[in-house]
Amino acid sequence: MALGMALLASSALVGITVSSARAEEAAANAAVPTLSPAEFEEGKQIYFERCAGCHGVLRKGATGKPLTTDKTRELGYEYLRDFITYGSAAGMPNWGTSNELTERQIDIMARYVLNEPPQPPEWGMAEMRDSWKLHVPVDKRPTKQMNGLDLDNLFSVTLRDSGEIALIDGASKQIVKIIKTGYAVHISRMSASGRYLYAIGRDGKIDLIDLWMPEPTTVAELKIGIEARSVETSKFHGWEDRLAIAGSYWPPQYVIMDGPTLEPVKIVSTRGMTVDTQEYHPEPRVASIVASHFNPEFVVNIKETGQILMVNYEDVQNLKVTTIGAERFLHDGGFDSTGRYFLVAANARHKVAVVDTKLDRLAALVDTGGLTPHPGRGANFVHPKFGPVWATSHLGDETISFIGTDPEKHPENAWKIVDTVRGQGGGSLFIKTHPKSSNLWVDTPLNPDEEIHGSVAVFDIKDLGKGYAVLPIAEWSGIKEGARRIVQGEYNKAGDEVWFSVWNAKDQESAIVVVDDKSRTLKHVIKDKRLITPTGKFNAYNTKMDVY
């Protein structure tokens, strides 16, 4: 009898506890702002276009913080609304004060991230092949260049919000052609021969452009997933132009394609275990990809797991992959001046991983001292005191760091930060120099301060200690309205000009400002109503040859 009463009491207590937990969960869910079906679809599209790159398709975070509901509901609607509006120097754009998003859109987004994210669909070979379009077969293409363009000094410019690229002649500064692409082209990459240009949008669409046609023409296209960032072509001797590879953010996988046609050949999933805790991760996105100059391999960087894959493409059907454990949250990077060592930022872990692409091994993990590196492809030059170095700027901090890259002649400096200088402020995305230049350029497009994100800092490589000069690029553009963010300096082939994008909202005027590298003076302003939200610029020769 006593036992029966005890069990009854215990059951009642469990019932009360469960009921209380359910009541609390119901109350919490009731406090979550709702969205209409139309608002949810709009929020999903804005998140995909503006947020997923940093926060992840599943909102689990990487460069940006996680936006899972256990985090967002602690912060609350007002905090989220204000943070989206004003941004931060740590890398969060000021979507509201820059007029990139309206108050209504910001309201939708603050509510959207308080609700559970939708599960995105998979994208396999069937879907890929359905998306593949071969507009001009290889045997119908010219066997020699059929136009008078200087292909080595051609610029491919991302027109982010119009879903296009502008091909601009480096000498005349005239637009050669506007080509429709996927949404928000992330990069343009050149084939080893310089004939083909590959543009990949954040919507996972690749456009293959034949620059030998009478006018540059899209000859093939393929959608490799729902969201993507990276594409590259085979560069090893004997394999030029034969293969291409692209990696997607969702689904987490990469695909190897026939280079001249984009026909998909093999898809490889990147889902797997993290390098540190050896835990399964459902969304290990493919970040940057580069082509090795020393082996028939692609260097594929997996963001969330921290694995660097050396994908040997000699036998695609029997693929050999060397897995190098590096550090989590791999992002972007570039080669050292010799092309042997690849340096890639593990930005959320405040590290730079160094891969020896000749020996296929991790050469070093460089600690950035708690800073968040965001180098683009970085910048190579000879430091007056420490020899060859590779430079990176940082999100959320004005520090520019120089890492020694010569283990043979300067072993005491190799793979460590040998020097730092301070730039204008946090929010830098790209750093740039050229072998023929003595200037080092640092942008700050994500800094919320108008004067800072509307200008660039430039250092004299021969005398880094004297600090930087500021060039008012936004003012030089002649554009009076808008956020006028200055982003991504890019050199011409000769190394005597630097091109900067003046990035405004879609419905505002944008421009490209060309600066004389030696005198640091305004040389030319490219304005055209078709230049809608220009961001990344890729000089064909420098991109093809990995010059930075």
PDB file of all heavy atoms in Angstrom, residues 178-212:
ATOM      1  N   ILE A 178      28.285  42.860 -70.793  1.00  0.00           N
ATOM      2  CA  ILE A 178      27.623  42.449 -69.555  1.00  0.00           C
ATOM      3  C   ILE A 178      27.053  41.059 -69.787  1.00  0.00           C
ATOM      4  O   ILE A 178      26.334  40.826 -70.766  1.00  0.00           O
ATOM      5  CB  ILE A 178      26.478  43.417 -69.171  1.00  0.00           C
ATOM      6  CG1 ILE A 178      27.002  44.850 -69.005  1.00  0.00           C
ATOM      7  CG2 ILE A 178      25.787  42.930 -67.909  1.00  0.00           C
ATOM      8  CD1 ILE A 178      27.863  45.071 -67.779  1.00  0.00           C
ATOM      9  N   ILE A 179      27.390  40.115 -68.901  1.00  0.00           N
ATOM     10  CA  ILE A 179      26.960  38.728 -69.073  1.00  0.00           C
ATOM     11  C   ILE A 179      26.099  38.314 -67.885  1.00  0.00           C
ATOM     12  O   ILE A 179      26.497  38.474 -66.726  1.00  0.00           O
ATOM     13  CB  ILE A 179      28.170  37.789 -69.206  1.00  0.00           C
ATOM     14  CG1 ILE A 179      28.950  38.142 -70.479  1.00  0.00           C
ATOM     15  CG2 ILE A 179      27.733  36.324 -69.231  1.00  0.00           C
ATOM     16  CD1 ILE A 179      30.198  37.320 -70.691  1.00  0.00           C
ATOM     17  N   LYS A 180      24.917  37.791 -68.170  1.00  0.00           N
ATOM     18  CA  LYS A 180      24.007  37.319 -67.133  1.00  0.00           C
ATOM     19  C   LYS A 180      24.573  36.051 -66.498  1.00  0.00           C
ATOM     20  O   LYS A 180      25.039  35.145 -67.198  1.00  0.00           O
ATOM     21  CB  LYS A 180      22.628  37.029 -67.732  1.00  0.00           C
ATOM     22  CG  LYS A 180      21.520  36.913 -66.709  1.00  0.00           C
ATOM     23  CD  LYS A 180      21.203  38.269 -66.103  1.00  0.00           C
ATOM     24  CE  LYS A 180      20.118  38.162 -65.038  1.00  0.00           C
ATOM     25  NZ  LYS A 180      19.910  39.429 -64.329  1.00  0.00           N
ATOM     26  N   THR A 181      24.539  36.007 -65.169  1.00  0.00           N
ATOM     27  CA  THR A 181      25.094  34.861 -64.440  1.00  0.00           C
ATOM     28  C   THR A 181      24.114  34.462 -63.336  1.00  0.00           C
ATOM     29  O   THR A 181      22.970  34.905 -63.312  1.00  0.00           O
ATOM     30  CB  THR A 181      26.438  35.232 -63.795  1.00  0.00           C
ATOM     31  OG1 THR A 181      26.229  36.309 -62.872  1.00  0.00           O
ATOM     32  CG2 THR A 181      27.457  35.653 -64.843  1.00  0.00           C
ATOM     33  N   GLY A 182      24.601  33.683 -62.390  1.00  0.00           N
ATOM     34  CA  GLY A 182      23.829  33.403 -61.198  1.00  0.00           C
ATOM     35  C   GLY A 182      23.848  34.594 -60.263  1.00  0.00           C
ATOM     36  O   GLY A 182      24.514  35.603 -60.509  1.00  0.00           O
ATOM     37  N   TYR A 183      23.105  34.464 -59.156  1.00  0.00           N
ATOM     38  CA  TYR A 183      23.015  35.566 -58.197  1.00  0.00           C
ATOM     39  C   TYR A 183      24.336  35.753 -57.463  1.00  0.00           C
ATOM     40  O   TYR A 183      24.968  34.795 -57.020  1.00  0.00           O
ATOM     41  CB  TYR A 183      21.903  35.301 -57.179  1.00  0.00           C
ATOM     42  CG  TYR A 183      21.908  36.331 -56.071  1.00  0.00           C
ATOM     43  CD1 TYR A 183      21.378  37.597 -56.289  1.00  0.00           C
ATOM     44  CD2 TYR A 183      22.494  36.061 -54.846  1.00  0.00           C
ATOM     45  CE1 TYR A 183      21.421  38.558 -55.298  1.00  0.00           C
ATOM     46  CE2 TYR A 183      22.534  37.005 -53.847  1.00  0.00           C
ATOM     47  CZ  TYR A 183      21.995  38.260 -54.078  1.00  0.00           C
ATOM     48  OH  TYR A 183      22.044  39.213 -53.098  1.00  0.00           O
ATOM     49  N   ALA A 184      24.756  36.998 -57.313  1.00  0.00           N
ATOM     50  CA  ALA A 184      25.895  37.372 -56.467  1.00  0.00           C
ATOM     51  C   ALA A 184      27.122  36.513 -56.749  1.00  0.00           C
ATOM     52  O   ALA A 184      27.572  35.738 -55.907  1.00  0.00           O
ATOM     53  CB  ALA A 184      25.518  37.283 -54.988  1.00  0.00           C
ATOM     54  N   VAL A 185      27.672  36.664 -57.946  1.00  0.00           N
ATOM     55  CA  VAL A 185      28.906  35.950 -58.284  1.00  0.00           C
ATOM     56  C   VAL A 185      29.939  36.180 -57.186  1.00  0.00           C
ATOM     57  O   VAL A 185      30.198  37.314 -56.784  1.00  0.00           O
ATOM     58  CB  VAL A 185      29.447  36.410 -59.650  1.00  0.00           C
ATOM     59  CG1 VAL A 185      30.897  35.965 -59.843  1.00  0.00           C
ATOM     60  CG2 VAL A 185      28.579  35.860 -60.773  1.00  0.00           C
ATOM     61  N   HIS A 186      30.501  35.080 -56.685  1.00  0.00           N
ATOM     62  CA  HIS A 186      31.473  35.201 -55.603  1.00  0.00           C
ATOM     63  C   HIS A 186      32.882  35.357 -56.153  1.00  0.00           C
ATOM     64  O   HIS A 186      33.652  36.182 -55.667  1.00  0.00           O
ATOM     65  CB  HIS A 186      31.394  33.985 -54.686  1.00  0.00           C
ATOM     66  CG  HIS A 186      32.154  34.143 -53.414  1.00  0.00           C
ATOM     67  ND1 HIS A 186      31.826  35.086 -52.474  1.00  0.00           N
ATOM     68  CD2 HIS A 186      33.236  33.502 -52.925  1.00  0.00           C
ATOM     69  CE1 HIS A 186      32.671  35.016 -51.456  1.00  0.00           C
ATOM     70  NE2 HIS A 186      33.537  34.067 -51.710  1.00  0.00           N
ATOM     71  N   ILE A 187      33.226  34.539 -57.135  1.00  0.00           N
ATOM     72  CA  ILE A 187      34.542  34.665 -57.760  1.00  0.00           C
ATOM     73  C   ILE A 187      34.450  34.383 -59.256  1.00  0.00           C
ATOM     74  O   ILE A 187      33.530  33.710 -59.731  1.00  0.00           O
ATOM     75  CB  ILE A 187      35.588  33.705 -57.141  1.00  0.00           C
ATOM     76  CG1 ILE A 187      35.123  32.246 -57.219  1.00  0.00           C
ATOM     77  CG2 ILE A 187      35.932  34.094 -55.717  1.00  0.00           C
ATOM     78  CD1 ILE A 187      36.184  31.246 -56.801  1.00  0.00           C
ATOM     79  N   SER A 188      35.415  34.907 -59.974  1.00  0.00           N
ATOM     80  CA  SER A 188      35.664  34.517 -61.360  1.00  0.00           C
ATOM     81  C   SER A 188      37.041  33.868 -61.394  1.00  0.00           C
ATOM     82  O   SER A 188      37.980  34.384 -60.780  1.00  0.00           O
ATOM     83  CB  SER A 188      35.656  35.741 -62.289  1.00  0.00           C
ATOM     84  OG  SER A 188      34.392  36.356 -62.325  1.00  0.00           O
ATOM     85  N   ARG A 189      37.152  32.756 -62.091  1.00  0.00           N
ATOM     86  CA  ARG A 189      38.435  32.070 -62.208  1.00  0.00           C
ATOM     87  C   ARG A 189      38.749  31.801 -63.674  1.00  0.00           C
ATOM     88  O   ARG A 189      37.857  31.464 -64.460  1.00  0.00           O
ATOM     89  CB  ARG A 189      38.412  30.742 -61.435  1.00  0.00           C
ATOM     90  CG  ARG A 189      38.452  30.925 -59.931  1.00  0.00           C
ATOM     91  CD  ARG A 189      39.830  31.398 -59.472  1.00  0.00           C
ATOM     92  NE  ARG A 189      39.873  31.603 -58.038  1.00  0.00           N
ATOM     93  CZ  ARG A 189      39.724  32.782 -57.438  1.00  0.00           C
ATOM     94  NH1 ARG A 189      39.493  33.863 -58.171  1.00  0.00           N
ATOM     95  NH2 ARG A 189      39.809  32.891 -56.137  1.00  0.00           N
ATOM     96  N   MET A 190      40.030  31.935 -64.016  1.00  0.00           N
ATOM     97  CA  MET A 190      40.478  31.714 -65.381  1.00  0.00           C
ATOM     98  C   MET A 190      41.025  30.306 -65.537  1.00  0.00           C
ATOM     99  O   MET A 190      41.661  29.770 -64.637  1.00  0.00           O
ATOM    100  CB  MET A 190      41.583  32.716 -65.735  1.00  0.00           C
ATOM    101  CG  MET A 190      41.171  34.174 -65.653  1.00  0.00           C
ATOM    102  SD  MET A 190      39.834  34.581 -66.782  1.00  0.00           S
ATOM    103  CE  MET A 190      40.569  34.090 -68.348  1.00  0.00           C
ATOM    104  N   SER A 191      40.798  29.716 -66.716  1.00  0.00           N
ATOM    105  CA  SER A 191      41.449  28.448 -67.016  1.00  0.00           C
ATOM    106  C   SER A 191      42.943  28.689 -67.209  1.00  0.00           C
ATOM    107  O   SER A 191      43.384  29.825 -67.412  1.00  0.00           O
ATOM    108  CB  SER A 191      40.844  27.814 -68.266  1.00  0.00           C
ATOM    109  OG  SER A 191      41.162  28.584 -69.418  1.00  0.00           O
ATOM    110  N   ALA A 192      43.736  27.629 -67.143  1.00  0.00           N
ATOM    111  CA  ALA A 192      45.194  27.765 -67.208  1.00  0.00           C
ATOM    112  C   ALA A 192      45.652  28.399 -68.513  1.00  0.00           C
ATOM    113  O   ALA A 192      46.646  29.130 -68.546  1.00  0.00           O
ATOM    114  CB  ALA A 192      45.849  26.397 -67.023  1.00  0.00           C
ATOM    115  N   SER A 193      44.927  28.153 -69.610  1.00  0.00           N
ATOM    116  CA  SER A 193      45.303  28.726 -70.901  1.00  0.00           C
ATOM    117  C   SER A 193      44.885  30.179 -71.039  1.00  0.00           C
ATOM    118  O   SER A 193      45.374  30.890 -71.920  1.00  0.00           O
ATOM    119  CB  SER A 193      44.662  27.921 -72.033  1.00  0.00           C
ATOM    120  OG  SER A 193      43.251  28.129 -72.047  1.00  0.00           O
ATOM    121  N   GLY A 194      43.941  30.622 -70.193  1.00  0.00           N
ATOM    122  CA  GLY A 194      43.413  31.973 -70.303  1.00  0.00           C
ATOM    123  C   GLY A 194      42.237  32.092 -71.252  1.00  0.00           C
ATOM    124  O   GLY A 194      41.706  33.181 -71.448  1.00  0.00           O
ATOM    125  N   ARG A 195      41.809  30.976 -71.835  1.00  0.00           N
ATOM    126  CA  ARG A 195      40.697  31.017 -72.784  1.00  0.00           C
ATOM    127  C   ARG A 195      39.345  31.098 -72.088  1.00  0.00           C
ATOM    128  O   ARG A 195      38.473  31.849 -72.508  1.00  0.00           O
ATOM    129  CB  ARG A 195      40.725  29.783 -73.683  1.00  0.00           C
ATOM    130  CG  ARG A 195      39.484  29.692 -74.565  1.00  0.00           C
ATOM    131  CD  ARG A 195      39.505  28.526 -75.523  1.00  0.00           C
ATOM    132  NE  ARG A 195      38.325  28.561 -76.379  1.00  0.00           N
ATOM    133  CZ  ARG A 195      38.180  27.838 -77.483  1.00  0.00           C
ATOM    134  NH1 ARG A 195      39.143  27.012 -77.864  1.00  0.00           N
ATOM    135  NH2 ARG A 195      37.080  27.927 -78.215  1.00  0.00           N
ATOM    136  N   TYR A 196      39.158  30.301 -71.038  1.00  0.00           N
ATOM    137  CA  TYR A 196      37.852  30.176 -70.404  1.00  0.00           C
ATOM    138  C   TYR A 196      37.789  30.919 -69.071  1.00  0.00           C
ATOM    139  O   TYR A 196      38.747  30.909 -68.293  1.00  0.00           O
ATOM    140  CB  TYR A 196      37.507  28.704 -70.164  1.00  0.00           C
ATOM    141  CG  TYR A 196      37.280  27.919 -71.433  1.00  0.00           C
ATOM    142  CD1 TYR A 196      38.154  26.894 -71.793  1.00  0.00           C
ATOM    143  CD2 TYR A 196      36.204  28.207 -72.265  1.00  0.00           C
ATOM    144  CE1 TYR A 196      37.947  26.163 -72.949  1.00  0.00           C
ATOM    145  CE2 TYR A 196      35.990  27.476 -73.431  1.00  0.00           C
ATOM    146  CZ  TYR A 196      36.869  26.459 -73.775  1.00  0.00           C
ATOM    147  OH  TYR A 196      36.658  25.746 -74.936  1.00  0.00           O
ATOM    148  N   LEU A 197      36.635  31.530 -68.833  1.00  0.00           N
ATOM    149  CA  LEU A 197      36.373  32.194 -67.564  1.00  0.00           C
ATOM    150  C   LEU A 197      35.206  31.466 -66.895  1.00  0.00           C
ATOM    151  O   LEU A 197      34.168  31.245 -67.522  1.00  0.00           O
ATOM    152  CB  LEU A 197      36.040  33.666 -67.790  1.00  0.00           C
ATOM    153  CG  LEU A 197      35.852  34.553 -66.553  1.00  0.00           C
ATOM    154  CD1 LEU A 197      36.235  35.990 -66.893  1.00  0.00           C
ATOM    155  CD2 LEU A 197      34.418  34.538 -66.031  1.00  0.00           C
ATOM    156  N   TYR A 198      35.402  31.090 -65.633  1.00  0.00           N
ATOM    157  CA  TYR A 198      34.374  30.418 -64.849  1.00  0.00           C
ATOM    158  C   TYR A 198      33.867  31.392 -63.781  1.00  0.00           C
ATOM    159  O   TYR A 198      34.653  31.893 -62.976  1.00  0.00           O
ATOM    160  CB  TYR A 198      34.938  29.183 -64.149  1.00  0.00           C
ATOM    161  CG  TYR A 198      35.446  28.109 -65.076  1.00  0.00           C
ATOM    162  CD1 TYR A 198      36.671  28.237 -65.730  1.00  0.00           C
ATOM    163  CD2 TYR A 198      34.713  26.945 -65.288  1.00  0.00           C
ATOM    164  CE1 TYR A 198      37.141  27.242 -66.576  1.00  0.00           C
ATOM    165  CE2 TYR A 198      35.180  25.936 -66.131  1.00  0.00           C
ATOM    166  CZ  TYR A 198      36.400  26.103 -66.775  1.00  0.00           C
ATOM    167  OH  TYR A 198      36.865  25.106 -67.611  1.00  0.00           O
ATOM    168  N   ALA A 199      32.570  31.660 -63.785  1.00  0.00           N
ATOM    169  CA  ALA A 199      31.968  32.524 -62.769  1.00  0.00           C
ATOM    170  C   ALA A 199      30.969  31.715 -61.975  1.00  0.00           C
ATOM    171  O   ALA A 199      30.110  31.045 -62.550  1.00  0.00           O
ATOM    172  CB  ALA A 199      31.275  33.721 -63.424  1.00  0.00           C
ATOM    173  N   ILE A 200      31.080  31.755 -60.638  1.00  0.00           N
ATOM    174  CA  ILE A 200      30.148  31.001 -59.796  1.00  0.00           C
ATOM    175  C   ILE A 200      29.406  31.947 -58.868  1.00  0.00           C
ATOM    176  O   ILE A 200      30.000  32.815 -58.228  1.00  0.00           O
ATOM    177  CB  ILE A 200      30.864  29.894 -58.985  1.00  0.00           C
ATOM    178  CG1 ILE A 200      29.832  29.006 -58.269  1.00  0.00           C
ATOM    179  CG2 ILE A 200      31.885  30.471 -58.020  1.00  0.00           C
ATOM    180  CD1 ILE A 200      30.411  27.698 -57.750  1.00  0.00           C
ATOM    181  N   GLY A 201      28.076  31.808 -58.831  1.00  0.00           N
ATOM    182  CA  GLY A 201      27.241  32.649 -57.983  1.00  0.00           C
ATOM    183  C   GLY A 201      26.931  31.965 -56.672  1.00  0.00           C
ATOM    184  O   GLY A 201      27.085  30.746 -56.516  1.00  0.00           O
ATOM    185  N   ARG A 202      26.454  32.741 -55.736  1.00  0.00           N
ATOM    186  CA  ARG A 202      26.110  32.173 -54.435  1.00  0.00           C
ATOM    187  C   ARG A 202      24.901  31.243 -54.515  1.00  0.00           C
ATOM    188  O   ARG A 202      24.625  30.505 -53.576  1.00  0.00           O
ATOM    189  CB  ARG A 202      25.854  33.302 -53.434  1.00  0.00           C
ATOM    190  CG  ARG A 202      27.122  34.077 -53.133  1.00  0.00           C
ATOM    191  CD  ARG A 202      26.978  34.987 -51.952  1.00  0.00           C
ATOM    192  NE  ARG A 202      28.254  35.610 -51.630  1.00  0.00           N
ATOM    193  CZ  ARG A 202      28.488  36.324 -50.540  1.00  0.00           C
ATOM    194  NH1 ARG A 202      27.518  36.515 -49.669  1.00  0.00           N
ATOM    195  NH2 ARG A 202      29.670  36.847 -50.315  1.00  0.00           N
ATOM    196  N   ASP A 203      24.194  31.283 -55.628  1.00  0.00           N
ATOM    197  CA  ASP A 203      23.081  30.348 -55.826  1.00  0.00           C
ATOM    198  C   ASP A 203      23.540  29.015 -56.412  1.00  0.00           C
ATOM    199  O   ASP A 203      22.732  28.171 -56.757  1.00  0.00           O
ATOM    200  CB  ASP A 203      22.006  30.964 -56.716  1.00  0.00           C
ATOM    201  CG  ASP A 203      22.533  31.400 -58.072  1.00  0.00           C
ATOM    202  OD1 ASP A 203      23.746  31.237 -58.331  1.00  0.00           O
ATOM    203  OD2 ASP A 203      21.744  31.916 -58.890  1.00  0.00           O
ATOM    204  N   GLY A 204      24.870  28.838 -56.518  1.00  0.00           N
ATOM    205  CA  GLY A 204      25.418  27.575 -56.982  1.00  0.00           C
ATOM    206  C   GLY A 204      25.506  27.427 -58.486  1.00  0.00           C
ATOM    207  O   GLY A 204      25.877  26.366 -58.987  1.00  0.00           O
ATOM    208  N   LYS A 205      25.226  28.482 -59.234  1.00  0.00           N
ATOM    209  CA  LYS A 205      25.240  28.399 -60.693  1.00  0.00           C
ATOM    210  C   LYS A 205      26.620  28.803 -61.222  1.00  0.00           C
ATOM    211  O   LYS A 205      27.161  29.843 -60.857  1.00  0.00           O
ATOM    212  CB  LYS A 205      24.170  29.313 -61.284  1.00  0.00           C
ATOM    213  CG  LYS A 205      24.061  29.276 -62.798  1.00  0.00           C
ATOM    214  CD  LYS A 205      22.835  30.045 -63.266  1.00  0.00           C
ATOM    215  CE  LYS A 205      22.712  30.073 -64.783  1.00  0.00           C
ATOM    216  NZ  LYS A 205      23.645  31.012 -65.408  1.00  0.00           N
ATOM    217  N   ILE A 206      27.172  27.947 -62.090  1.00  0.00           N
ATOM    218  CA  ILE A 206      28.438  28.236 -62.770  1.00  0.00           C
ATOM    219  C   ILE A 206      28.142  28.605 -64.214  1.00  0.00           C
ATOM    220  O   ILE A 206      27.359  27.927 -64.894  1.00  0.00           O
ATOM    221  CB  ILE A 206      29.389  27.028 -62.758  1.00  0.00           C
ATOM    222  CG1 ILE A 206      29.640  26.528 -61.337  1.00  0.00           C
ATOM    223  CG2 ILE A 206      30.716  27.376 -63.425  1.00  0.00           C
ATOM    224  CD1 ILE A 206      30.445  25.246 -61.298  1.00  0.00           C
ATOM    225  N   ASP A 207      28.777  29.663 -64.679  1.00  0.00           N
ATOM    226  CA  ASP A 207      28.717  30.033 -66.091  1.00  0.00           C
ATOM    227  C   ASP A 207      30.116  29.919 -66.674  1.00  0.00           C
ATOM    228  O   ASP A 207      31.079  30.476 -66.129  1.00  0.00           O
ATOM    229  CB  ASP A 207      28.188  31.453 -66.255  1.00  0.00           C
ATOM    230  CG  ASP A 207      26.716  31.556 -65.927  1.00  0.00           C
ATOM    231  OD1 ASP A 207      25.902  31.304 -66.821  1.00  0.00           O
ATOM    232  OD2 ASP A 207      26.390  31.875 -64.770  1.00  0.00           O
ATOM    233  N   LEU A 208      30.235  29.192 -67.769  1.00  0.00           N
ATOM    234  CA  LEU A 208      31.502  29.028 -68.478  1.00  0.00           C
ATOM    235  C   LEU A 208      31.503  29.944 -69.696  1.00  0.00           C
ATOM    236  O   LEU A 208      30.665  29.795 -70.583  1.00  0.00           O
ATOM    237  CB  LEU A 208      31.691  27.575 -68.901  1.00  0.00           C
ATOM    238  CG  LEU A 208      32.922  27.268 -69.759  1.00  0.00           C
ATOM    239  CD1 LEU A 208      34.215  27.619 -69.033  1.00  0.00           C
ATOM    240  CD2 LEU A 208      32.919  25.808 -70.193  1.00  0.00           C
ATOM    241  N   ILE A 209      32.432  30.872 -69.734  1.00  0.00           N
ATOM    242  CA  ILE A 209      32.480  31.898 -70.784  1.00  0.00           C
ATOM    243  C   ILE A 209      33.709  31.679 -71.647  1.00  0.00           C
ATOM    244  O   ILE A 209      34.838  31.608 -71.138  1.00  0.00           O
ATOM    245  CB  ILE A 209      32.499  33.303 -70.147  1.00  0.00           C
ATOM    246  CG1 ILE A 209      31.205  33.510 -69.342  1.00  0.00           C
ATOM    247  CG2 ILE A 209      32.643  34.385 -71.208  1.00  0.00           C
ATOM    248  CD1 ILE A 209      31.323  34.531 -68.251  1.00  0.00           C
ATOM    249  N   ASP A 210      33.493  31.544 -72.937  1.00  0.00           N
ATOM    250  CA  ASP A 210      34.582  31.372 -73.894  1.00  0.00           C
ATOM    251  C   ASP A 210      35.014  32.753 -74.379  1.00  0.00           C
ATOM    252  O   ASP A 210      34.263  33.443 -75.077  1.00  0.00           O
ATOM    253  CB  ASP A 210      34.111  30.500 -75.067  1.00  0.00           C
ATOM    254  CG  ASP A 210      35.248  30.135 -76.024  1.00  0.00           C
ATOM    255  OD1 ASP A 210      36.362  30.685 -75.874  1.00  0.00           O
ATOM    256  OD2 ASP A 210      35.015  29.303 -76.923  1.00  0.00           O
ATOM    257  N   LEU A 211      36.228  33.138 -74.036  1.00  0.00           N
ATOM    258  CA  LEU A 211      36.734  34.469 -74.390  1.00  0.00           C
ATOM    259  C   LEU A 211      37.306  34.509 -75.803  1.00  0.00           C
ATOM    260  O   LEU A 211      37.680  35.586 -76.273  1.00  0.00           O
ATOM    261  CB  LEU A 211      37.808  34.904 -73.384  1.00  0.00           C
ATOM    262  CG  LEU A 211      37.353  34.986 -71.924  1.00  0.00           C
ATOM    263  CD1 LEU A 211      38.531  35.330 -71.019  1.00  0.00           C
ATOM    264  CD2 LEU A 211      36.243  36.010 -71.752  1.00  0.00           C
ATOM    265  N   TRP A 212      37.367  33.364 -76.501  1.00  0.00           N
ATOM    266  CA  TRP A 212      37.863  33.339 -77.875  1.00  0.00           C
ATOM    267  C   TRP A 212      36.766  33.617 -78.896  1.00  0.00           C
ATOM    268  O   TRP A 212      37.064  33.853 -80.065  1.00  0.00           O
ATOM    269  CB  TRP A 212      38.471  31.971 -78.179  1.00  0.00           C
ATOM    270  CG  TRP A 212      39.869  31.807 -77.655  1.00  0.00           C
ATOM    271  CD1 TRP A 212      40.538  32.615 -76.781  1.00  0.00           C
ATOM    272  CD2 TRP A 212      40.767  30.744 -77.995  1.00  0.00           C
ATOM    273  NE1 TRP A 212      41.786  32.127 -76.530  1.00  0.00           N
ATOM    274  CE2 TRP A 212      41.965  30.979 -77.262  1.00  0.00           C
ATOM    275  CE3 TRP A 212      40.685  29.628 -78.813  1.00  0.00           C
ATOM    276  CZ2 TRP A 212      43.073  30.122 -77.352  1.00  0.00           C
ATOM    277  CZ3 TRP A 212      41.778  28.768 -78.905  1.00  0.00           C
ATOM    278  CH2 TRP A 212      42.956  29.021 -78.191  1.00  0.00           C
TER     279      TRP A 212
END
